[in-house]
Amino acid sequence: MASDQRERRLFILFTDWFSHKEQRGDYGVPPEKIEAYRRRISKLARENQVQAIAEEMNWDSMARSAASKALHLRKPIPLMEDAIRYINQILIGQEIPSETELIARELGLPYKACDLTMDEQLKNGPLEPPDSTNEGRTQWEDQTFPPREQAWITSLLELRHWPVLFVCGNRHKRTFLPRLAEADLNVVVVPEEFEPCPTDSGDLTT
């Protein structure tokens, strides 16, 4: 089916866990959970005849996941700037696809990792909320989410293939959906159908 540039339909899968473990295929995640995620993405792409797949993901996050798997760590490397730089140095030039990207390849669809890098995110505030209360987390989201979500929209528009399937954390519903409406995108929120993976403390990437 040819891409319809006028329609600009965006299917969004809001995941209901914080750390995106299945997306990255993290070490320690049961294979059946990763496979369930892969089936879900493939099914959504086929049923909705999407022409591209994108997600809330960046190279830094995939590098951290790859290093964790390579070192057989049960907890992800801490989200510290020095650790991220070190991982980037040892993995520079290597291709580290997410599970989402692998599905896009299997289906022959364009793929885009849309998130800002860790360094870019740090310019807008800490990577994790310094205050764990609901009010503190909301304030952190209001500070750090807008530049990330705007970057996602820019990346999605650059794909120039419609409809698109986009995967991101459900903490972004409150802020991302109004921003998408302002961008005049035809948004369809698809239901979540598989169990979330437990979140390790200290890995609250949303």
Side-chain angles (χ1 to χ4, degrees), residues 63-81:
R64 179 164 51 87
S65 174
S68 293
K69 285 186 283 189
L71 297 171
H72 300 290
L73 296 177
R74 293 193 175 276
K75 290 187 177 181
I77 292 175
L79 288 174
M80 298 186 301
E81 191 173 359

Side-chain angles (χ1 to χ4, degrees), residues 17 19-31 33-35 37-38 55 57 61-62 65-66 68-69 97-100 102:
W17 69 94
S19 58
H20 306 283
K21 293 176 181 295
E22 283 92 343
Q23 282 174 261
R24 294 187 303 246
D26 280 2
Y27 176 78
V29 178
K33 286 191 174 289
I34 295 177
E35 184 57 31
Y37 173 77
R38 290 171 58 87
E55 64 181 330
M57 188 58 64
S61 184
M62 286 306 305
S65 174
S68 293
K69 285 186 283 189
S98 68
E99 297 298 326
T100 315
L102 291 174

Side-chain angles (χ1 to χ4, degrees), residues 4-185:
D4 186 350
Q5 296 290 350
R6 295 170 298 176
E7 187 178 8
R8 303 206 304 184
R9 176 170 293 181
L10 181 67
F11 293 93
I12 301 183
L13 175 63
F14 285 108
T15 56
D16 59 356
W17 69 94
F18 289 149
S19 58
H20 306 283
K21 293 176 181 295
E22 283 92 343
Q23 282 174 261
R24 294 187 303 246
D26 280 2
Y27 176 78
V29 178
E32 60 270 19
K33 286 191 174 289
I34 295 177
E35 184 57 31
Y37 173 77
R38 290 171 58 87
R39 288 197 305 268
R40 179 69 168 135
I41 296 302
S42 181
K43 179 181 178 183
L44 284 171
R46 294 193 311 270
E47 288 183 346
N48 296 291
Q49 297 182 296
V50 302
Q51 300 300 298
I53 299 177
E55 64 181 330
E56 173 195 356
M57 188 58 64
N58 57 42
W59 195 88
D60 297 297
S61 184
M62 286 306 305
R64 179 164 51 87
S65 174
S68 293
K69 285 186 283 189
L71 297 171
H72 300 290
L73 296 177
R74 293 193 175 276
K75 290 187 177 181
I77 292 175
L79 288 174
M80 298 186 301
E81 191 173 359
D82 290 342
I84 295 298
R85 276 206 196 89
Y86 175 69
I87 295 167
N88 285 342
Q89 288 172 356
I90 62 174
L91 294 176
I92 190 70
Q94 292 189 13
E95 188 174 335
I96 311 170
S98 68
E99 297 298 326
T100 315
E101 181 176 1
L102 291 174
I103 291 298
R105 291 182 186 179
E106 290 177 8
L107 297 175
L109 298 175
Y111 165 85
K112 187 87 169 180
C114 297
D115 211 3
L116 298 176
T117 66
M118 297 295 185
D119 283 341
E120 290 170 334
Q121 291 183 40
L122 283 167
K123 294 176 182 178
N124 302 304
L127 296 177
E128 298 178 14
D131 182 352
S132 60
T133 65
N134 287 336
E135 180 180 1
R137 186 171 184 89
T138 297
Q139 291 176 349
W140 172 78
E141 290 172 358
D142 289 341
Q143 175 187 354
T144 62
F145 280 11
R148 293 176 62 197
E149 292 169 353
Q150 190 56 53
W152 302 351
I153 292 173
T154 299
S155 293
L156 290 168
L157 294 175
E158 289 174 349
L159 271 172
R160 298 182 181 277
H161 292 275
W162 305 100
V164 177
L165 172 61
F166 184 71
V167 184
C168 69
N170 71 356
R171 293 293 301 201
H172 290 274
K173 274 185 183 179
R174 178 178 63 87
T175 53
F176 192 37
L177 289 178
R179 190 161 284 112
L180 288 168
E182 292 175 0
D184 196 27
L185 293 175

Side-chain angles (χ1 to χ4, degrees), residues 175-198:
T175 53
F176 192 37
L177 289 178
R179 190 161 284 112
L180 288 168
E182 292 175 0
D184 196 27
L185 293 175
N186 182 359
V187 175
V188 178
V189 177
V190 297
E192 178 61 67
E193 289 185 354
F194 57 92
E195 293 295 321
C197 183

